Amino acid sequence: MSVIKMEADVIVMGGGSAGTFAAIKAKETNPNCRVVVLDKGPIETSGAIGRGMDALNIVSVPGYGTPEDVVEALTKVTEGVLDQECAYVLGRDSLAVIKDLEKYTDRKPGDLFPLDKNGNYKCSYLHPTNKALYLAMDGEDIKRGLAREVRRLGCTVLDRTPACRLLTDENGKIAGCFAFNIRTGHYFEIKAPAVILTAGCVGKFGMPRDGYLSGIYEFPGNTGDAFAMAYHAGADLVNMECFQTNLLMKDFNGPACGYVVIPRGGYGVNALGQRYWSHGYWSGDMFLAVWREFMEGRGPVYLKLDHLPEATLKGLEKILWGTERTVRGQFHKQRNEDYHCWDSVEQGMEEITLCSGHSDSGILVNKDTETTVPGLFAAGDCAAVPQQYLTGAFVFGRIAGRMAAEYAAKAAKPGKTEDPEKIWDEVTIPLKKDNGLPIDLVETKIRTKISQYLTPPKSDPLMHKMLWWTERIRREDLPEINVCDYHDLIRATEVQSITDCAEMAAKASLFRDESRWGLSHYRLACPKRESKWDATYVIVRKNQSSGEMECVAQKCPPYKWNFPTRLEYEYPEMKLDIGQGFHHPENEHVDPWMEEKYNREGMDIPKRIFPKKGNKKEA
């Protein structure tokens, strides 16, 4: 096979929530815009909401909240490390997203989203503020509706054809991407002046405690590809030290769905049945509270539902066993678990990930979704609009589509890029090997090390050891990967992305010499917030001269609103005095028995191993 060459105006890399909205809005902005959408699967069911979704977790709608209320909530939960303009746009455009979703799914007001007695979209409380910013949704069909609209508008959709490299020209501008089909092996050089990265978070990062490589909270195809490709293309990333420490349903390793239960009256309790924290929002202070319950012997923790009305429980079963995970009901049934029992939903800190949708980390973007690379835009969980959730994927996907279409209409034709045949030769090295390391083994290794050495609370020596491991895995393991088909070939590129993200996370964590965001960046060597880091990013970028990864501090854009920049919690004082322990007499450092054995075998014994007796300095 030879390379298939294509030309486009806008490439959308990832056909999930943000990607489908981006493609639609690019076409609506300019019907003549040539839009190509790439995804690892069919766009009808790909991405984090392939099965559907049950809520927009942050919105501002008439009667309940304003865009400024969204800014207030996000300024607080990010502890001031954010671009407030992005938060404002998130709130401002959320109502337009609601209307779009009703249109694309052909659902009437009151059907897809609930209405109150005044005809307003009915919101609930969830965030650690006194504003109602959560909107429930009956959205099992929204992804299929979005995919239908993408195809109806005439976008070129390359299903099961993920991009694995961004192309840039001699001036550092975006020029397109390189991709291949994971079933047929056909590979593509697609030239375009504008690319929108919408490939999701680093869902496959740490190893889940159940040990299943694809048994994760996020979509299993979300492996940090957007993070890694943006980094290698020269883009800045931020908040890579802010980890998402997922509180999931134990053993099932899927969403415990506190965000479904809590707005309807449920809450978290410890093993004694006591409520362990003041709210259930996925911010670092809540995760820190869960960690405390385990450290002080009150774990496990549970999501309490048994006090809710019967109609509410039945509705929750419909959502949790249908829209969220279709096998969840069977999981509970086999364990004889019933939501009428207070301890039917056990939760655990099962994994760590990097994400902006549920946390803060990702590619640095402004309110127009522009990155630091000309022609490169980003939206969704890979773009660092903190705590944006699904609403942000839609809001900024809309913006990215419009901005990219407008940019492409004015941009010059892409310049010369790297030879696609050379790229394909590099990518297919694991496919050409007669033997080597199985991809499952290498993926297990890097992700196990991430869980062992990076899971908060963060230890400096462990994080340094993680960097030692990333260097060693790149040198010894990645070059030896052997795969037998194109599906596993994309997994080989995924493992490289995971390794890149592990290095970013460790280096950024060591660079920010404080603790912040509760458990998300609880650094044991620096267990307090430091004012010098207020409103300050850690930027991770690739040094274009040396090719090495570097971190720098950079102030966030100036605030436009004066809202609280911290949550109501404190880091604990760690006092672990366990006494002196038993001390036995010191053994001799010289071992005549061992020395005699070496002499008998004719071996040359270095003095540093067997020094002369009594020469303590030399010993």
Side-chain angles (χ1 to χ4, degrees):
M1 289 184 289
S2 59
V3 63
I4 300 171
K5 296 191 176 185
M6 298 175 60
E7 290 189 357
D9 298 304
V10 174
I11 301 171
V12 180
M13 291 169 54
S17 312
T20 48
F21 251 91
I24 291 167
K25 293 305 175 181
K27 271 294 190 181
E28 289 183 353
T29 300
N30 178 5
N32 295 320
C33 184
R34 297 168 298 172
V35 179
V36 175
V37 182
L38 306 169
D39 199 272
K40 289 181 181 177
I43 65 170
E44 282 74 14
T45 54
S46 66
I49 65 159
R51 174 60 194 161
M53 189 59 183
D54 55 76
L56 295 178
N57 289 340
I58 185 162
V59 298
S60 68
V61 298
Y64 290 90
T66 66
E68 289 82 2
D69 293 332
V70 172
V71 177
E72 179 181 5
L74 296 194
T75 300
K76 188 177 186 182
V77 298
T78 62
E79 300 188 13
V81 184
L82 83 164
D83 182 344
Q84 284 190 332
E85 278 200 307
C86 289
Y88 181 83
V89 169
L90 174 62
R92 182 196 70 191
D93 291 2
S94 57
L95 183 59
V97 159
I98 292 168
K99 298 297 185 183
D100 278 343
L101 287 172
E102 289 176 336
K103 173 185 174 183
Y104 299 146
T105 57
D106 194 24
R107 306 276 289 277
K108 296 179 180 179
D111 182 21
L112 184 59
F113 301 101
L115 301 178
D116 64 16
K117 61 182 180 181
N118 297 317
N120 294 321
Y121 294 103
K122 185 180 179 181
C123 292
S124 304
Y125 297 98
L126 173 64
H127 306 77
T129 71
N130 60 358
K131 307 295 171 55
L133 304 173
Y134 168 97
L135 180 62
M137 173 170 55
D138 180 17
E140 289 190 20
D141 62 341
I142 60 172
K143 189 64 202 305
R144 286 170 285 283
L146 293 172
R148 185 168 58 246
E149 189 68 10
V150 169
R151 296 187 189 277
R152 186 188 71 80
L153 289 171
C155 299
T156 300
V157 179
L158 299 179
D159 288 330
R160 301 185 179 88
T161 308
C164 60
R165 192 170 301 186
L166 283 168
L167 302 177
T168 55
D169 64 16
E170 60 274 13
N171 298 314
K173 292 183 178 181
I174 285 297
C177 73
F178 183 89
F180 68 93
N181 186 288
I182 61 176
R183 288 193 173 178
T184 67
H186 291 101
Y187 55 103
F188 300 80
E189 178 195 57
I190 309 173
K191 290 289 192 72
V195 170
I196 307 173
L197 282 173
T198 53
C201 68
V202 195
K204 276 189 172 181
F205 192 52
M207 177 66 74
R209 293 190 179 184
D210 61 17
Y212 292 106
L213 290 174
S214 294
I216 62 172
Y217 170 71
E218 294 284 358
F219 173 56
N222 290 349
T223 53
D225 305 325
F227 290 63
M229 285 189 284
Y231 166 79
H232 288 294
D236 288 353
L237 291 93
V238 296
N239 299 335
M240 297 297 285
E241 71 278 19
C242 184
F243 297 176
Q244 180 185 336
T245 46
N246 293 331
L247 181 62
L248 306 178
M249 196 165 77
K250 188 73 172 65
D251 299 328
F252 182 76
N253 215 64
C257 293
Y259 280 11
V260 180
V261 174
I262 290 167
R264 295 171 172 87
Y267 54 89
V269 296
N270 61 23
L272 306 179
Q274 303 162 335
R275 190 166 182 165
Y276 58 78
W277 196 234
S278 57
H279 65 85
Y281 185 78
W282 266 29
S283 46
D285 60 325
M286 190 272 283
F287 294 134
L288 189 64
V290 173
W291 173 80
R292 178 188 62 182
E293 295 305 302
F294 282 91
M295 292 300 101
E296 295 185 349
R298 294 186 296 274
V301 298
Y302 301 90
L303 194 58
K304 190 174 186 297
L305 296 79
D306 64 308
H307 60 289
L308 300 177
E310 186 67 23
T312 301
L313 291 178
K314 292 299 181 185
L316 291 173
E317 287 180 359
K318 177 184 182 299
I319 296 171
L320 300 177
W321 303 357
T323 306
E324 281 292 346
R325 294 288 193 275
T326 54
V327 298
R328 178 170 174 155
Q330 187 66 26
F331 176 86
H332 285 309
K333 183 178 179 180
Q334 289 178 337
R335 294 191 168 202
N336 197 29
E337 293 175 341
D338 190 308
Y339 290 166
H340 294 87
C341 300
W342 72 274
D343 58 352
S344 60
V345 183
E346 182 183 349
Q347 298 175 288
M349 308 287 271
E350 298 294 287
E351 62 184 21
I352 57 172
T353 59
L354 299 170
C355 180
S356 70
H358 301 86
S359 185
D360 294 15
S361 52
I363 304 161
L364 180 62
V365 294
N366 60 17
K367 63 181 177 61
D368 294 322
T369 71
E370 296 167 321
T371 71
T372 54
V373 176
L376 182 62
F377 304 82
D381 286 351
C382 69
V385 179
Q387 308 279 334
Q388 61 179 309
Y389 293 94
L390 180 60
T391 314
F394 292 149
V395 165
F396 292 99
R398 295 170 91 247
I399 294 171
R402 173 174 57 83
M403 295 299 297
E406 293 176 355
Y407 177 91
K410 301 174 184 178
K413 189 175 181 179
K416 186 177 180 181
T417 62
E418 191 175 358
D419 179 15
E421 298 292 355
K422 179 175 179 291
I423 296 175
W424 187 234
D425 285 342
E426 294 173 0
V427 170
T428 53
I429 287 173
L431 199 58
K432 299 170 184 174
K433 288 182 174 294
D434 293 328
N435 51 58
L437 299 174
I439 186 62
D440 283 8
L441 187 66
V442 181
E443 182 181 333
T444 299
K445 183 174 183 178
I446 180 61
R447 293 177 63 195
T448 300
K449 299 306 179 189
I450 289 169
S451 290
Q452 290 172 341
Y453 294 114
L454 294 185
T455 298
K458 299 176 182 179
S459 157
D460 284 21
L462 292 181
M463 290 191 290
H464 282 294
K465 191 69 175 181
M466 184 71 245
L467 293 174
W468 181 86
W469 272 111
T470 57
E471 191 277 331
R472 182 176 179 181
I473 287 171
R474 280 202 190 96
R475 184 181 69 249
E476 297 180 359
D477 298 326
L478 298 186
E480 297 303 319
I481 292 174
N482 170 228
V483 300
C484 60
D485 58 30
Y486 296 110
H487 178 271
D488 277 0
L489 185 61
I490 196 62
R491 293 182 60 203
T493 70
E494 290 175 345
V495 170
Q496 294 175 34
S497 297
I498 294 168
T499 305
D500 286 342
C501 291
E503 183 182 0
M504 295 183 213
K507 286 189 172 178
S509 296
L510 288 166
F511 191 80
R512 182 181 284 273
D513 54 353
E514 65 156 1
S515 289
R516 192 172 289 254
W517 307 303
L519 190 64
S520 301
H521 181 60
Y522 181 14
R523 185 173 168 186
L524 295 173
C526 314
K528 295 181 180 179
R529 299 181 192 87
E530 298 292 345
S531 58
K532 70 176 183 177
W533 285 107
D534 290 346
T536 302
Y537 291 135
V538 172
I539 300 285
V540 177
R541 63 167 64 112
K542 186 174 186 178
N543 186 297
Q544 295 304 305
S545 299
S546 66
E548 298 295 318
M549 187 179 294
E550 64 181 16
C551 295
V552 297
Q554 178 176 300
K555 283 294 180 183
C556 301
Y559 292 160
K560 292 191 174 182
W561 294 270
N562 184 23
F563 290 127
T565 58
R566 62 165 295 166
L567 290 155
E568 297 81 1
Y569 74 96
E570 299 294 339
Y571 284 103
E573 291 186 18
M574 303 288 282
K575 296 181 180 180
L576 300 175
D577 185 2
I578 60 173
Q580 295 183 359
F582 175 77
H583 291 270
H584 57 67
E586 186 175 354
N587 290 307
E588 289 285 339
H589 291 178
V590 175
D591 187 343
W593 174 77
M594 185 177 289
E595 184 175 359
E596 189 275 331
K597 283 181 172 292
Y598 273 91
N599 286 334
R600 184 172 359 117
E601 294 172 10
M603 297 182 68
D604 183 26
I605 305 169
K607 288 186 177 181
R608 62 181 175 84
I609 298 179
F610 297 112
K612 291 182 179 179
K613 197 169 184 179
N615 190 342
K616 293 184 178 180
K617 184 175 181 181
E618 188 175 348

